[in-house]
Amino acid sequence: MRLPPQRSEATPLHRLNNASPADLRGALLACCGSRRWAESIAAHRPYPDVEALLAAADEASYDLTDEDLSEALTGESTAGAGHGGPLYGGRHIVITGPGALAAHTALRAAHAAYESRFGYAFVLCVDGVREEEALGHVLAAIRTRLGNETERERAVAAEELRRIARGRLLRLAREGTPPWRARRPGHPAGPEASAQAPAPTTAPGRAPSPSVPD
């Protein structure tokens, strides 16, 4: 007698729960470059659902020390890194048209001014921002945050990293899409290098990543 086909248990979350320590470490470090963050997520497996995983990610983000935050910020990309345009979290900002060169120049200058002032790369979660508004959103955020005091901006950057890590982890757990974090020039490849995915292909005007609720 032929048995009915068995339902597969290999959902993205199931694979995450059962991944080897080395594979899981690589995927988690691609979501957030803090080793403490990755170890905290790994230590609480298995997760019954995506909501529990995201709650653990938020808690791990809030528990980061200043040293952990510096480690995570070091792993983030600068403007123009990767393929397809500047990368923010898990999404590229596509700049085209007659003013593209000027826009790229303005963006590079804004990033350079930010990094010169604070000593680390500008990070911003753009999940949920409309494609046509993304460039203006990024430039406005950099200019606003350049006026922050050092301690205040550190807190803002930590919150943006939390949201970015949450979005990357959400895509990993729901879609099985490995996070793509472009390496900074000269930054040595870490365990996360093998977890990088090719650039997403999407229809013009559509964001390649879902909106992530806070």
Side-chain angles (χ1 to χ4, degrees):
M1 186 174 93
R2 180 177 294 177
L3 296 175
Q6 298 297 308
R7 184 176 179 180
S8 174
E9 294 291 340
T11 65
L13 180 61
H14 176 83
R15 290 195 294 271
L16 188 151
N17 278 329
N18 292 277
S20 70
D23 288 344
L24 181 65
R25 175 184 170 83
L28 292 177
L29 283 173
C31 294
C32 176
S34 163
R35 287 170 293 179
R36 181 193 295 270
W37 186 91
E39 289 164 2
S40 176
I41 301 298
H44 291 88
R45 286 191 297 171
Y47 293 97
D49 49 44
V50 173
E51 289 70 26
L53 175 64
L54 295 181
D58 283 343
E59 183 176 355
S61 293
Y62 292 133
D63 286 344
L64 295 183
T65 66
D66 192 62
E67 182 178 359
D68 297 328
L69 179 57
S70 293
E71 182 182 33
L73 286 168
T74 297
E76 292 300 315
S77 63
T78 55
H83 303 283
L87 184 65
Y88 297 89
R91 176 176 165 189
H92 288 286
I93 302 300
V94 180
I95 306 173
T96 58
L101 179 60
H104 274 288
T105 300
L107 198 56
R108 283 195 297 269
H111 273 267
Y114 180 94
E115 192 155 356
S116 175
R117 170 153 166 67
F118 296 110
Y120 49 83
F122 175 78
V123 291
L124 179 70
C125 180
V126 295
D127 287 343
V129 177
R130 293 168 60 88
E131 187 69 39
E132 61 271 23
E133 299 171 354
L135 176 60
H137 179 78
V138 171
L139 285 171
I142 297 179
R143 289 165 181 158
T144 296
R145 288 166 55 183
L146 276 169
N148 286 341
E149 295 297 328
T150 302
E151 186 174 345
R152 166 62 181 161
E153 179 53 30
R154 192 83 169 169
V156 173
E159 173 59 14
E160 291 299 327
L161 275 177
R162 180 192 70 80
R163 296 182 62 219
I164 288 170
R166 181 184 172 93
R168 289 169 176 163
L169 194 59
L170 179 65
R171 287 184 285 276
L172 181 64
R174 283 188 177 170
E175 305 167 14
T177 305
W180 183 11
R181 289 198 313 136
R183 281 193 298 115
R184 297 184 54 173
H187 188 67
E192 69 271 28
S194 62
Q196 292 180 352
T201 55
T202 56
R206 294 190 60 186
S209 60
S211 176
V212 181
D214 285 328

